[in-house]
Amino acid sequence: SGPLHPAARECGAMMRDGEKAKHFIKATTDILATMAGRAITPGRPYVKKDQQAVGDISAIIGVTGPKNGTISVSFSFECASALVTGMLGDDVEDMAQDMQDAVGEVTNMISGQARAAIAENGLVLQGSTPYVVVGKGHEVHHITKAVVMAIPFTTDGGEFTVEFCLA
């Protein structure tokens, strides 16, 4: 993982988000390697300025505790399809439904592992059941007004982005 996006360096509070980003990068890398046999490459974390989803299918998890917010993972259709194939092999029966299930499950696992690592630093957060939104051009509305940090990832099967917002 490289240095933070220049916009993230402008504010000292962002450095805390940069530390959290490291936990999300590790969780995402671990989960995708284990669940789908995919090697992934994280990009540079940046401050997201709009609500436009980066991908075509997103899972969003609400987070509560001393801080509240959201965690989301948005996949391109291509990447979600590759994820399903990596997880299920030839057992795919309904690609559309399997993509929704896989994106929700992977997001839940990334959220859980990242929240566990963050809890080791004293911040215990609970996560909701993920909900999935499908369609080109959809928006992800993070439930706080805090800065949204986004981490792009590339795989041999396509691209996806992890976002988190905690206030």
Side-chain angles (χ1 to χ4, degrees), residues 23-24 27 63 71 108-127:
H23 296 303
F24 281 98
V63 177
I71 297 166
N108 196 39
M109 293 176 6
I110 290 168
S111 167
Q113 184 173 323
R115 286 183 293 110
I118 291 168
E120 290 177 9
N121 295 324
L123 180 60
V124 178
L125 302 168
Q126 290 75 41

Side-chain angles (χ1 to χ4, degrees), residues 10-143:
E10 292 173 5
C11 172
M14 288 295 93
M15 297 313 289
R16 289 190 298 272
D17 285 335
E19 290 301 311
K20 290 182 193 97
K22 291 177 185 176
H23 296 303
F24 281 98
I25 290 169
K26 180 171 181 358
T28 303
T29 304
D30 292 351
I31 298 300
L32 269 287
T34 302
M35 293 302 298
R38 295 274 172 202
I40 66 171
T41 303
R44 182 176 293 200
Y46 64 95
V47 176
K48 189 159 183 257
K49 300 291 189 186
D50 62 18
Q51 297 177 343
Q52 181 75 38
V54 178
D56 305 311
I57 180 169
S58 302
I60 301 106
I61 293 177
V63 177
T64 59
K67 291 186 176 280
N68 296 311
T70 47
I71 297 166
S72 69
V73 184
S74 295
F75 291 85
S76 67
F77 280 130
E78 174 190 36
C79 189
S81 177
L83 175 68
V84 168
T85 303
M87 289 173 72
L88 301 178
D90 294 331
D91 293 335
V92 177
E93 293 180 20
D94 178 349
M95 181 56 83
Q97 184 60 52
D98 288 344
M99 278 197 299
Q100 289 183 48
D101 293 346
V103 167
E105 181 63 23
V106 165
T107 300
N108 196 39
M109 293 176 6
I110 290 168
S111 167
Q113 184 173 323
R115 286 183 293 110
I118 291 168
E120 290 177 9
N121 295 324
L123 180 60
V124 178
L125 302 168
Q126 290 75 41
S128 70
T129 301
Y131 63 96
V132 178
V133 180
V134 181
K136 290 189 180 294
H138 70 272
E139 292 185 344
V140 174
H141 295 272
H142 292 278
I143 60 174

